[in-house]
Amino acid sequence: MQYDYGRCEGARAIPDTFYPIEKLRDFTHIGVVKTYAKDSNVILPGGKDYMLVYVLSGRISLNLMTEDGRERVIYFSGENGILGRLYKMENENDTYAVAIEDSKVCLFFEEHLRIIFRQDEDMIFEVLRNCLSKVSYYMRQTIERDFYNPTIRILRLLHGLYLTNGISVGDSYEIRMDLSLQFISEITGAHYVTVSKVLKYLKEQKIIEKKKDKIIIHDLEKLKELTHEKHIYKYIY
């Protein structure tokens, strides 16, 4: 599925690709191009010494495994997105990446990046912008969790998805994404049961209807209003 990554950048709702670097395609002859079948490991915990994984096609999921064995998606990287480790981190043995579609990537090692940066100094800022866009997203996520209760975070996510991916269809808006309840739970930090209750309430109130591969917003103004309603949980629980 194709998403409009560039639309309404400041209101990004899900951790997906962030700032794509199309210009990096001009330097793939310097790196190492590899293909991965769906469900293949692209980055293993404590992986090798390459610094960047540049996605040429397909889709990669970067995941974190906690000490007690639980797993969580950190972010996705689609076409022209990058993943990797510019510097060795203490917790890098906890992260791994998986191709969730048949994918082609280019691996860049330190010596490759030095060549690229010497040939095109602007590429340094492109990579920095990609990294900082991730930092900015997770800073906002931290603030969301500090200032909003789980119910409001779910509502704000849904409204954010409208801003970034909403498509007008008749009197409604559609968000054409296959987002599971579990994934919404992981993004917002809300319990799976809370997500289920919120979506049930929104459907009963004819505000939002969630289907398998899309979310339909029937009453956008009411949804926006609820994102500012501090006591909405009283109606849901």
Side-chain angles (χ1 to χ4, degrees):
M1 179 177 292
Q2 296 296 315
Y3 301 140
D4 186 356
Y5 303 119
R7 182 179 171 193
C8 201
E9 182 72 21
R12 180 177 300 284
I14 62 174
D16 202 327
T17 301
F18 296 95
Y19 178 70
I21 309 178
E22 188 174 350
K23 287 177 61 178
L24 201 48
R25 284 183 174 270
D26 297 337
F27 298 95
T28 53
H29 63 282
I30 296 175
V32 179
V33 176
K34 288 190 174 183
T35 57
Y36 293 90
K38 181 180 178 181
D39 297 327
S40 298
N41 290 318
V42 179
I43 299 177
L44 293 170
K48 301 301 180 182
D49 55 351
Y50 51 79
M51 284 189 160
L52 290 182
V53 178
Y54 179 59
V55 183
L56 297 170
S57 64
R59 192 162 159 82
I60 310 294
S61 171
L62 185 68
N63 308 281
L64 174 70
M65 180 176 293
T66 63
E67 293 180 356
D68 58 2
R70 288 181 291 180
E71 300 179 20
R72 171 166 290 186
V73 172
I74 303 176
Y75 65 87
F76 299 104
S77 193
E79 185 176 344
N80 299 326
I82 62 173
L83 310 91
R85 46 177 72 87
L86 292 177
Y87 300 98
K88 189 175 181 62
M89 302 292 183
E90 291 182 2
N91 65 343
E92 68 180 21
N93 289 335
D94 300 331
T95 58
Y96 64 97
V98 177
I100 55 178
E101 298 176 2
D102 290 345
S103 303
K104 179 185 287 188
V105 306
C106 185
L107 307 178
F108 291 110
F109 294 77
E110 180 176 350
E111 59 269 26
H112 299 150
L113 292 180
R114 289 184 181 276
I115 294 171
I116 293 169
F117 293 159
R118 282 197 296 268
Q119 292 184 12
D120 186 347
E121 292 182 351
D122 288 341
M123 192 60 66
I124 299 173
F125 297 100
E126 294 286 298
V127 172
L128 281 174
R129 184 172 177 179
N130 181 283
C131 294
L132 290 174
S133 68
K134 296 182 176 78
V135 172
S136 176
Y137 173 84
Y138 288 106
M139 287 175 62
R140 290 196 299 271
Q141 288 294 94
T142 299
I143 292 172
E144 288 270 324
R145 297 192 184 197
D146 284 345
F147 286 99
Y148 300 104
N149 66 47
T151 298
I152 297 298
R153 294 202 298 269
I154 297 167
L155 293 167
R156 285 173 62 84
L157 169 66
L158 294 170
H159 187 259
L161 288 171
Y162 152 73
L163 292 175
T164 53
N165 293 90
I167 300 171
S168 177
V169 179
D171 296 330
S172 303
Y173 295 91
E174 292 186 0
I175 302 163
R176 294 172 183 174
M177 293 184 181
D178 182 6
L179 296 178
S180 67
L181 299 190
Q182 182 61 40
F183 185 54
I184 294 174
S185 170
E186 290 182 2
I187 295 174
T188 60
H191 195 280
Y192 178 93
V193 174
T194 302
V195 177
S196 179
K197 287 183 176 180
V198 169
L199 290 174
K200 179 181 178 182
Y201 171 82
L202 293 174
K203 182 177 181 180
E204 290 173 346
Q205 298 300 311
K206 296 181 172 55
I207 299 171
I208 278 182
E209 182 180 3
K210 185 184 183 311
K211 296 185 178 294
K212 182 182 184 303
D213 58 350
K214 63 183 174 182
I215 297 171
I216 304 172
I217 302 175
H218 297 296
D219 191 337
L220 178 60
E221 289 304 313
K222 186 61 177 178
L223 173 62
K224 184 177 180 180
E225 178 185 328
L226 289 178
T227 63
H228 302 289
E229 173 58 70
K230 296 181 180 179
H231 304 294
I232 182 64
Y233 59 87
K234 291 182 179 180
Y235 304 106
I236 296 174
Y237 293 96

